[in-house]
């Protein structure tokens, strides 16, 4: 398929034909189509990425409409799947996209197999550390760069906004990962991945983190963090510069900082799991959790 129009002229002035071709030819998956995943999908469509996989098991609700790019009130009224709504938006931007839409939780055979087989790069736009934990394993085992996006708004007990922003981590197999970055709460991940029996035991014995509260979310803040992530994707695939391992947007200070963290010498993901492929047994994560990745 050729780009039979001039839509990428301005972009080629930035990256060159070769850079543009590399972006276009990179197969990308986005896991989680909430506040950040929708921005990433939109930008990949504009960039001309030709092969995009969308994975999310959630449907659009009215409370999403302050931030879900491309979603309408009708989508919320009909509770349309986010994969369909974001997929429709992607196609409206670029009809040449080869689109694969899977309305499934990350922790299903279909989703994991799709991620293992298809994409060159995976965007993690999920809202929980269990999904991050699984993506971190999968990316290392199958040698795929993982770009993990998280945004957060912290409000104190009196409802006063204390901090807003987010961060992007570029996990490159064998060199840096989400565990090296210290960005996975292992206790939260463990609890989300436990079996129903384990969960019943834990709850009966009265320890746990409690249910997740409804968290604040604003389109502009998600947009900043998502744009940083897509910027690192471009750096990675065009070779413009090495991607930053971790960028953090501190909204209250109005700055973006980069982390000087490096691979942890004892990291078992970066040291032991890289390139193990099927021997890493990613499928053991199937059906352990029903939580939405979006
Ligand atoms: Zn690591």
């Amino acid at each position: 398929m050729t780009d039979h129009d001039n839509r990428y002229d301005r972009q080629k002035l930035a990256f060159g034909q070769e850079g543009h071709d590399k972006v276009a030819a990179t197969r990308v998956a986005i896991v989680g189509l909430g506040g950040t995943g929708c921005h990433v999908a939109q930008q990949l469509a504009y960039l001309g990425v030709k092969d995009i996989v969308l994975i999310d098991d959630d449907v659009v609700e009215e409370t999403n409409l302050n931030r879900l790019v491309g979603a309408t009130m009708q989508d919320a009224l009909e509770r349309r799947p986010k994969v369909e709504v974001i997929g429709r938006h992607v196609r409206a931007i670029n009809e040449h996209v080869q689109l694969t839409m899977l309305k499934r939780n990350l922790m299903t055979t279909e989703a994991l197999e799709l991620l293992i087989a298809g994409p060159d790069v995976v965007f993690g736009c999920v809202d929980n550390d269990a999904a991050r934990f699984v993506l971190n394993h999968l990316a290392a085992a199958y040698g795929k760069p993982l770009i993990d996006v998280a945004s957060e708004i912290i409000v104190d007990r009196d409802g006063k906004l204390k901090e807003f922003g987010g961060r992007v981590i570029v996990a490159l197999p064998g060199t840096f990962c989400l565990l090296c970055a210290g960005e996975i709460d292992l206790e939260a991940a463990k609890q989300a991945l436990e079996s129903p029996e384990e969960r019943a035991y834990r709850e009966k014995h009265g320890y746990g983190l409690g249910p997740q509260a409804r968290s604040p979310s604003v389109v502009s803040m998600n947009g900043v963090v998502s744009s940083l992530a897509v910027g690192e994707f471009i750096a990675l695939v065009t070779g413009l510069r090495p991607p930053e391992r971790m960028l953090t947007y501190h909204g209250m200070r109005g700055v973006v900082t980069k982390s000087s963290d490096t691979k942890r010498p004892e990291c078992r993901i970066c040291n032991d799991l890289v390139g193990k492929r099927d021997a890493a047994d990613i499928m053991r994560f199937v059906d352990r959790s029903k939580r939405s990745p979006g």
Side-chain angles (χ1 to χ4, degrees):
M1 201 184 305
T2 55
D3 307 326
H4 45 81
D5 53 36
N6 300 320
R7 73 169 79 187
Y8 301 113
D9 280 2
R10 302 298 185 94
Q11 186 166 306
K12 288 172 188 172
L13 292 173
F15 312 146
Q17 180 71 46
E18 193 189 342
H20 169 74
D21 290 346
K22 285 178 178 168
V23 168
T26 304
R27 300 170 302 164
V28 184
I30 306 170
V31 182
L33 295 169
T36 57
C38 63
H39 285 276
V40 171
Q42 173 175 259
Q43 293 191 20
L44 295 181
Y46 278 117
L47 282 168
V49 173
K50 287 180 181 165
D51 190 327
I52 301 176
V53 173
L54 303 175
I55 299 176
D56 192 309
D57 65 351
D58 208 0
V59 297
V60 178
E61 294 176 41
E62 192 175 340
T63 55
N64 303 146
L65 297 180
N66 72 322
R67 63 191 185 282
L68 197 66
V69 174
T72 66
M73 181 57 85
Q74 198 60 34
D75 295 328
L77 291 173
E78 295 181 18
R79 295 176 63 79
R80 290 197 182 118
K82 287 180 178 173
V83 284
E84 279 179 24
V85 169
I86 304 303
R88 180 188 69 204
H89 187 54
V90 164
R91 267 206 211 294
I93 294 165
N94 187 346
E95 70 278 18
H96 298 307
V97 176
Q98 167 79 39
L99 202 53
T100 307
M101 297 175 283
L102 183 69
K103 184 183 180 294
R104 285 281 187 283
N105 190 282
L106 170 66
M107 271 73 106
T108 58
T109 308
E110 297 97 319
L112 293 175
E113 282 181 347
L114 191 56
L115 288 171
I116 288 166
D120 304 308
V121 175
V122 177
F123 277 88
C125 299
V126 298
D127 64 357
N128 67 85
D129 280 355
R132 287 196 181 91
F133 185 78
V134 172
L135 286 174
N136 199 47
H137 276 70
L138 186 147
Y142 291 90
K144 298 172 193 277
L146 169 67
I147 303 177
D148 188 74
V149 190
S151 67
E152 188 174 44
I153 300 174
I154 298 169
V155 177
D156 71 11
R157 284 170 185 276
D158 302 324
K160 191 166 182 294
L161 195 154
K162 303 301 284 182
E163 178 59 288
F164 63 90
R167 54 105 190 110
V168 174
I169 297 169
V170 181
L172 297 180
T175 68
F176 194 66
C177 78
L178 304 187
L179 287 180
C180 291
E183 285 292 315
I184 295 181
D185 179 338
L186 287 175
E187 193 53 38
K190 203 176 109 208
Q191 291 192 9
L193 291 166
E194 67 199 354
S195 68
E197 298 77 31
E198 288 166 337
R199 180 169 304 144
Y201 178 87
R202 177 173 53 75
E203 287 175 356
K204 189 174 167 210
H205 290 77
Y207 44 85
L209 299 169
Q212 259 191 328
R214 198 164 52 90
S215 52
S217 194
V218 176
V219 66
S220 55
M221 303 170 193
N222 293 336
V224 170
V225 184
S226 304
S227 295
L228 288 173
V230 175
E232 294 315 299
F233 165 77
I234 292 169
L236 173 71
V237 302
T238 62
L240 192 66
R241 62 159 169 74
E244 296 294 344
R245 287 186 291 273
M246 179 161 154
L247 292 174
T248 305
Y249 169 45
H250 309 268
M252 288 303 269
R253 286 160 55 201
V255 297
V256 174
T257 57
K258 64 179 181 180
S259 167
S260 55
D261 287 353
T262 54
K263 175 180 160 182
R264 291 185 184 176
E266 74 283 6
C267 180
R268 62 188 180 81
I269 300 291
C270 291
N271 291 327
D272 305 333
L273 206 69
V274 173
K276 286 275 164 66
R277 302 186 66 86
D278 295 354
D281 191 20
I282 300 303
M283 289 302 162
R284 73 185 185 278
F285 295 120
V286 167
D287 286 340
R288 298 282 255 160
S289 167
K290 296 297 181 197
R291 288 191 188 181
S292 164

